[in-house]
Amino acid sequence: MKTKADVQQGTLALMVMKTLEVMGPLHGYAISRRIGQISGELLDVNQGTLYPVLLRLEQEGSIASDWGVTENNRRARYYELTASGRKALQAEAAQWEQTQAIMARFLTVKAGDLS
Amino acid sequence: MKAVRRVWMRLRGMFAGAAEERRLAEEFAAHEELAVADLMEQGVPEAEARRQARREFGGGAAMRERYRDQRGLPWLEFLAADVRFGWRQLWKHRTASAAAIVSLALATGACMAAFRLVDALLLRQLPVAKPQELYSLARAGVGFDGKPAEFDGWAFPAFQLMREAVKGKAELMAVSFADRMELTYGGDAEIERATVQYVSGWMFPDFGLRPAAGRLLTEADDRVPGGHPVAVVSHTYWKRRLGGDAPPVGKTFRLGGRLYEIVGVAPEGFTGTEPGVVVEIFLPTMMFRGAVMKDYTWHRTLLRTGDPAQLGALQGQLHAVSRAFETERLRGASVLSRNRIDQLTQRLVIQPAGGGVSGMQSGYRRFLGLLGVMVGLVLLIACVNAANLMTAQAGARAREMAIRVSIGAGRWRLIRLVLAETALVAVLATALGVAFSWWAAPFLVRQIETPSMPVWLDMPADGRVVAFGFGMALLVTMAFGLLPALRASAVRPASALKGGENPHARRRTMHALIAAQVAFCFVVLFLAGLFAQTFARLSSRPLGFTPEGLLLLDVAARDPLPRATWEALAVELEALPGVESAAISSRMLLGGQSTNSFISVAGRPPSPRLAYFVTASRGWIDTMGIRLLAGERLPAGDAAGQALVNEAFVKEYFGGGDAVGKRFLRGKEEYQVAGVARNAPYGDVREEMLPAVYISYGNWGIDNTVVTVRVRDGNPQAMAAAVRSELARSHPSLRIRNTRTQQGLVEAQTLRERLLAMIGLFFAVVAAWLAGLGLYGVLDYAVLLRRKEIGIRMAIGADGAGIARLVTRDAFAMTVLGGALGAGGAAALGRYIEPLLYGVKAMEPGTFGAPLAIVAGLALAAAWGPVRTALRIDPLAMLRAD
């Protein structure tokens, strides 16, 4: 079995928002499944972390939620990215990319590069 | 922005009700269903799928808890729960809680009222530029009575010399003692009064004040004696008296025979430099009649220097100038009187005056200090009561606490639980206290007002007052809440659940508190007793004259009038219906001004003590109601050289015995004693009787007299209008500068004592009541705790006296201990309060006896109920119970 990584809270929020941006409105279960899929089943989203994150994002106004019906005719609560959420996503994604770029440069640095 | 929104949403989330919970449950259920369906699609059998989904989902309860934490603000929720729980506890014992809250409110309210007074009178800085650079000058030495004394009055010529001497290093300003003066706008008929202060013209620029309208005074307005009839009015006076719409610039009024023009309005908030007094009209010092006189001390001197390090040098310089001035002034006087003046003015002192200087400050500083001590003690008593209440309740809740500990509550959680309850009590009490102080502080200010001098203290509820109130609430909570909280949290579940915790430990704490309470109560009673006695002594002190029914008019003539004219005026007034008699004199008794001289008898050098003078018409002593003890009244007509003297004078200068016909010298003038009058206080009802001389008017022009009118019955003020119109009719050239009643002057002098007696009595009653309540509570609790023991004792044959002893022994021992401690504290305070007392000594056995008796009575009364409860215990019922 592959080792599954835990997800940091801040990162999870970003993943949730990105997922919603790409997939449109989703319910909680679908979000967790999608994140699992996208990560190539490397990530296991603990529901105990997911719902508090969803709630926080809703409190911040980044996402909105409402009851809806699944394709199998089940009632579920659907989450959707709001306009301000879209903006927040862009800002955070940019920041994340920058961090990533910086980290990448550090991790690939060799002694010869610095002389 | 996002953070704010989050907190707001979470605050809302706190109050999310059942609907939110339902949504959560449904959403989780849906999640699980979806997961199960998903798994089943992959071919997992339903039971296995359900199991797996549930495992993946994690612990439902823990997860829900995390979700809720994110939804609300957990710490706030806990706090709210604590407060709600505390409130339920208080409500359960609402009578006891209400008693604790009300007594705390009374005490905190009194504290806040006292703080507002102290703040307004002593702490608040003047609203001027750099108030910390202001100082006031005074001379200190040994007074006529041999005690240290301080004088802050200065003569203007001396002030000018001093100002010249320190020019460039410091600025001096003259500010007169504010006084109520009569003035008229338009017709002479409408005389009104305003508080007037003469100030150096350069004071306004120095204070950095900007006019609200027109202009302020400058140095150019203060150069030539009598040459600058201009005035600046205060903002409040403009608003209140002068309409407040159009600036009053250019308006004129008549004061002291001169027409003044208003040139501007002082900025809002500036009401002079005397806290307690609102100056309404500022005039240049040069307009004061006595400005150029060398032996007329009539103003204070303020000093400004930006460099406190210079004060020492300035002090030396100013002192030298002041001394040289006095030496020059007294060149003609005898060596002895020069020595006396020297003693009076040994040192020149410079004191910070950023908060202003006023007679009220010096007169009430000690008073307010004592007020602070008393309210502090009452607050402590109230705190002890509340602490006892909490301790008793904590005792009753030992089992509950034990259960909480057993199911895992931490010590801090328990402390918080009890503290929330006490904080609730403190907050409620403080809120009530604020309301009380809002009423009490202005009420006290109104009490120290006299008809002739309105008192006004700026007491806004600014940050400092609020901070004080809040700090006190915190202190009070800590004072009475922390101990019970710590005790409660130290509960040992095993022993408490068995019902076996030693209850005596808690009772010991309560007993110690009782001792403290009795000690505080004793001190308050002791102080109150002293003040009540002081006031009683002062009010029953024989005055030597009859102040009731006396109307005093300060009358000035435009040009000096002969004696006969003034005497005729008195005779005319006597003809008015309702007037019994009328007379004229140069001074009023207790009027605050004095004329004094050294006296020499039979060629001997002048005595070291001063004699005090009143020039009066023949009928004056009869109108005043002063008894003639020997000899004759002052003769009618020109009788220069004839004098009436009082008993103190006879004792001081003639060594007692018959003085009629004897002669004495006042400077170079010789007088013969025509008669001896009964002692009457000259300047102050508190001081010992001063040697006084009443002399006749000679044949010289008189421009100013006090007309004393004895009214047959009723209020003398009611006659003022009739006397005024009679004067206006018969002598239109005269002006009435001031109208007072002699009774008012007497009462004004005992104001502080009356106030102290009143407040002392109030606090004594409150303190006694609270201490009694506290003692009762503790005894009652003790009986409750020991009812089983008492029942057993009764069953095996203890008698009533034995039971009563058992119940009260410890508490009475504590009362005795508390009384002793209180007596010690009272003795320590005794020295501090001595200057506020009259005719009573702080350190007499008698002053300790009364509080002791009251405390003992209190203890007996408080023990009565609990002892009765104890005696009514039915041994049989008690043995069967529980």
Side-chain angles (χ1 to χ4, degrees):
Chain A
M1 207 174 162
K2 288 176 280 187
T3 338
K4 289 191 175 181
D6 265 342
V7 194
Q8 287 170 318
Q9 264 229 340
T11 350
L12 182 58
L14 186 59
M15 288 174 190
V16 168
M17 283 198 285
K18 186 69 195 172
T19 310
L20 287 177
E21 191 194 27
V22 176
M23 311 291 298
L26 289 175
H27 49 73
Y29 178 70
I31 294 173
S32 76
R33 291 294 308 136
R34 288 296 172 196
I35 291 178
Q37 276 174 10
I38 295 169
S39 72
E41 303 299 336
L42 279 172
L43 277 178
D44 189 10
V45 180
N46 185 337
Q47 337 297 346
T49 8
L50 175 67
Y51 280 96
V53 166
L54 285 173
L55 180 63
R56 201 190 55 167
L57 287 172
E58 198 175 350
Q59 282 169 346
E60 284 173 1
S62 295
I63 61 175
S65 70
D66 203 2
W67 288 105
V69 180
T70 67
E71 56 264 41
N72 300 337
N73 259 341
R74 288 177 194 280
R75 232 163 85 82
R77 199 160 177 90
Y78 277 84
Y79 293 87
E80 188 180 8
L81 203 62
T82 62
S84 84
R86 218 167 284 276
K87 239 179 275 169
L89 174 61
Q90 276 161 17
E92 259 170 70
Q95 202 181 356
W96 182 253
E97 269 160 21
Q98 195 183 7
T99 314
Q100 199 191 7
I102 294 171
M103 284 315 291
R105 290 174 74 164
F106 266 91
L107 294 176
T108 55
V109 77
K110 293 184 201 72
D113 296 346
L114 295 175
S115 60
Chain B
M1 207 46 228
K2 224 151 105 183
V4 174
R5 188 187 148 92
R6 195 154 64 208
V7 168
W8 167 242
M9 294 298 290
R10 292 179 78 162
L11 266 173
R12 268 185 36 184
M14 267 179 67
F15 301 101
E20 273 293 304
E21 285 294 313
R22 213 165 36 238
R23 172 191 149 178
L24 192 61
E26 277 179 40
E27 193 168 358
F28 288 179
H31 184 106
E32 206 177 301
E33 284 305 315
L34 285 165
V36 169
D38 218 11
L39 284 168
M40 278 168 74
E41 244 169 58
Q42 291 169 28
V44 183
E46 180 170 354
E48 173 61 21
R50 218 160 266 289
R51 215 172 49 81
Q52 209 175 322
R54 204 158 283 170
R55 200 184 54 217
E56 212 168 283
F57 197 72
M63 131 114 234
R64 217 162 283 156
E65 203 45 52
R66 279 182 71 180
Y67 187 86
R68 281 195 203 106
D69 281 359
Q70 173 62 41
R71 187 174 68 207
L73 292 169
W75 57 269
L76 200 59
E77 240 165 299
F78 275 133
L79 189 69
D82 284 348
V83 169
R84 264 202 303 275
F85 184 74
W87 174 253
R88 274 211 297 278
Q89 286 292 326
L90 292 181
W91 191 248
K92 219 155 79 189
H93 313 274
R94 46 187 167 277
T95 323
S97 307
I101 289 172
V102 168
S103 48
L104 272 176
L106 207 62
T108 50
C111 261
M112 264 183 273
F115 175 78
R116 287 177 74 197
L117 284 175
V118 170
D119 180 52
L121 190 60
L122 302 174
L123 302 180
R124 197 176 295 272
Q125 298 277 297
L126 291 176
V128 303
K130 299 185 185 152
Q132 72 281 2
E133 290 182 354
L134 287 177
Y135 298 86
S136 77
L137 302 187
R139 287 173 290 183
V142 181
F144 291 114
D145 51 2
K147 288 181 190 157
E150 209 169 89
F151 315 88
D152 59 357
W154 295 89
F156 196 77
F159 164 79
Q160 282 175 311
L161 290 175
M162 291 195 295
R163 184 175 183 225
E164 212 49 53
V166 295
K167 195 130 223 173
K169 283 174 273 184
E171 180 61 287
L172 294 192
M173 288 160 276
V175 177
S176 79
F177 303 98
D179 199 8
R180 294 288 280 175
M181 295 176 81
E182 305 205 338
L183 56 103
T184 58
Y185 291 93
D188 268 343
E190 294 164 58
I191 298 172
E192 55 184 73
R193 302 160 125 239
T195 309
V196 177
Q197 193 171 43
Y198 294 89
V199 299
S200 292
W202 56 94
M203 180 192 83
F204 288 99
D206 181 272
F207 279 3
L209 299 174
R210 303 194 170 282
R215 67 177 182 88
L216 300 176
L217 300 178
T218 64
E219 184 148 12
D221 294 308
D222 203 9
R223 288 193 203 282
V224 189
H228 310 278
V230 288
V232 164
V233 296
S234 74
H235 195 270
T236 45
Y237 188 64
W238 172 35
K239 289 287 175 208
R240 193 175 52 72
R241 169 61 190 85
L242 302 174
D245 307 325
V249 177
K251 228 174 152 68
T252 58
F253 60 88
R254 188 171 282 283
L255 180 144
R258 291 289 303 255
L259 197 67
Y260 287 87
E261 185 190 341
I262 297 174
V263 296
V265 179
E268 194 170 358
F270 181 73
T271 53
T273 56
E274 287 188 39
V277 177
V278 176
V279 176
E280 295 172 322
I281 297 176
F282 297 94
L283 302 177
T285 47
M286 276 298 150
M287 296 308 288
F288 188 76
R289 277 182 312 133
V292 292
M293 284 160 69
K294 282 188 172 175
D295 40 14
Y296 196 166
T297 57
W298 58 276
H299 66 80
R300 292 199 175 90
T301 298
L302 295 182
L303 178 145
R304 178 189 286 277
T305 173
D307 181 11
Q310 272 198 345
L311 286 177
L314 285 172
Q315 190 264 347
Q317 227 171 343
L318 291 169
H319 182 57
V321 176
S322 160
R323 281 300 278 258
F325 173 82
E326 294 296 331
T327 312
E328 171 68 23
R329 182 172 79 89
L330 295 169
R331 189 179 290 271
S334 69
V335 177
L336 199 64
S337 31
R338 273 214 298 278
N339 287 344
R340 290 293 310 149
I341 297 295
D342 273 357
Q343 278 188 21
L344 286 175
T345 60
Q346 283 167 354
R347 286 175 297 119
L348 184 141
V349 283
I350 301 182
Q351 289 150 334
V357 239
S358 73
M360 215 167 125
Q361 281 178 336
S362 45
Y364 282 90
R365 192 181 296 271
R366 229 171 253 270
F367 165 86
L368 286 172
L370 267 183
L371 188 66
V373 168
M374 275 175 131
V375 296
L377 289 174
V378 171
L379 182 66
L380 284 174
I381 295 175
C383 279
V384 169
N385 263 4
N388 270 339
L389 171 86
M390 291 292 161
T391 310
Q393 279 184 7
R397 284 165 64 185
R399 281 172 80 100
E400 173 205 326
M401 293 291 175
I403 291 170
R404 282 174 187 276
V405 171
S406 321
I407 60 174
R411 183 163 190 176
W412 170 231
R413 194 77 191 78
L414 292 192
I415 292 181
R416 253 179 33 192
L417 205 65
V418 178
L419 272 188
E421 198 177 320
T422 54
L424 206 59
V425 171
V427 166
L428 288 174
T430 310
L432 271 178
V434 166
F436 176 67
S437 84
W438 235 247
W439 167 82
F443 173 79
L444 278 188
V445 171
R446 276 200 302 282
Q447 297 308 305
I448 52 182
E449 241 173 10
T450 61
S452 55
M453 192 47 109
V455 173
W456 187 84
L457 279 173
D458 189 18
M459 296 188 293
D462 64 2
R464 256 180 323 178
V465 177
V466 174
F468 180 81
F470 181 74
M472 205 162 55
L474 208 67
L475 197 81
V476 165
T477 315
M478 290 296 139
F480 74 79
L482 204 55
L483 195 67
L486 287 175
R487 288 197 75 89
S489 69
V491 72
R492 285 189 305 279
S495 73
L497 284 177
K498 275 186 280 173
E501 222 211 333
N502 178 12
H504 299 286
R506 187 162 296 117
R507 252 186 31 232
R508 270 198 293 278
T509 317
M510 292 175 82
H511 280 149
L513 289 175
I514 280 296
Q517 205 170 28
V518 168
F520 300 147
C521 180
F522 183 95
V523 175
V524 173
L525 290 172
F526 169 81
L527 292 176
L530 286 179
F531 296 143
Q533 277 185 71
T534 293
F535 182 61
R537 293 272 163 91
L538 262 185
S539 356
S540 65
R541 182 184 193 203
L543 279 175
F545 65 93
T546 321
E548 296 88 2
L550 283 180
L551 182 69
L552 308 170
L553 301 116
D554 184 357
V555 182
R558 226 158 264 170
D559 305 299
L561 298 174
R563 171 182 51 80
T565 312
W566 290 102
E567 282 175 356
L569 181 142
V571 173
E572 282 161 28
L573 288 178
E574 280 181 347
L576 282 178
V579 171
E580 193 170 302
S581 65
I584 57 167
S585 62
S586 61
R587 292 260 176 264
M588 45 185 98
L589 294 185
L590 308 177
Q593 289 188 313
S594 64
T595 308
N596 48 42
S597 295
F598 292 106
I599 298 294
S600 58
V601 177
R604 289 199 295 267
S607 87
R609 274 187 52 152
L610 287 164
Y612 291 77
F613 285 75
V614 177
T615 313
S617 65
R618 177 180 162 86
W620 182 75
I621 62 163
D622 298 317
T623 302
M624 288 297 291
I626 301 173
R627 258 209 3 254
L628 189 68
L629 297 175
E632 296 292 324
R633 289 178 171 68
L634 290 172
D638 174 17
Q642 291 290 318
L644 284 183
V645 297
N646 70 356
E647 299 161 276
F649 188 97
V650 174
K651 193 166 157 234
E652 175 74 30
Y653 299 103
F654 300 120
D658 184 17
V660 178
K662 290 189 173 163
R663 291 166 186 284
F664 61 91
L665 278 176
R666 171 203 195 183
K668 303 246 176 334
E669 298 161 36
E670 194 188 40
Y671 289 91
Q672 188 179 27
V673 177
V676 177
R678 205 155 150 228
N679 277 337
Y682 187 90
D684 188 338
V685 290
R686 272 175 291 264
E687 68 197 4
E688 60 173 313
M689 292 292 179
L690 298 169
V693 187
Y694 311 128
I695 55 174
S696 303
Y697 283 104
N699 270 336
W700 59 73
I702 306 161
D703 59 2
N704 176 22
T705 70
V706 175
V707 177
T708 307
V709 178
R710 177 164 291 283
V711 174
R712 200 153 280 144
D713 39 34
N715 179 9
Q717 251 338 329
M719 276 299 288
V723 172
R724 236 180 235 291
S725 61
E726 170 62 19
L727 275 181
R729 193 189 57 76
S730 60
H731 295 86
S733 69
L734 295 181
R735 288 176 298 103
I736 299 177
R737 291 200 300 210
N738 227 329
T739 316
R740 295 175 200 196
T741 65
Q742 189 73 58
Q743 185 64 29
L745 291 180
V746 173
E747 279 168 9
Q749 292 221 335
T750 53
L751 211 60
R752 198 178 64 194
E753 284 73 14
R754 202 183 60 197
L755 200 61
L756 266 176
M758 211 174 73
I759 293 177
L761 205 67
F762 171 72
F763 281 133
V765 170
V766 172
W769 171 248
L770 289 181
L773 207 67
L775 197 56
Y776 170 83
V778 170
L779 285 171
D780 198 47
Y781 177 67
V783 169
L784 192 74
L785 272 186
R786 301 172 79 173
R787 58 192 187 280
K788 222 176 212 168
E789 177 196 346
I790 294 169
I792 293 171
R793 281 176 191 267
M794 283 169 110
I796 59 174
D799 60 347
I803 298 296
R805 245 199 324 277
L806 175 76
V807 172
T808 57
R809 194 179 50 210
D810 292 350
F812 281 179
M814 286 302 119
T815 307
V816 170
L817 177 64
L821 287 174
L829 263 178
R831 183 183 297 278
Y832 179 72
I833 58 170
E834 207 103 87
L836 285 170
L837 301 180
Y838 173 82
V840 255
K841 283 257 179 308
M843 304 314 253
E844 271 173 359
T847 57
F848 285 85
L852 216 55
I854 295 176
V855 166
L858 214 60
L860 285 176
W864 178 250
V867 166
R868 230 176 36 169
T869 315
L871 292 180
R872 280 192 185 157
I873 286 175
D874 179 1
L876 280 179
M878 197 43 66
L879 289 176
R880 274 202 210 105
D882 207 24

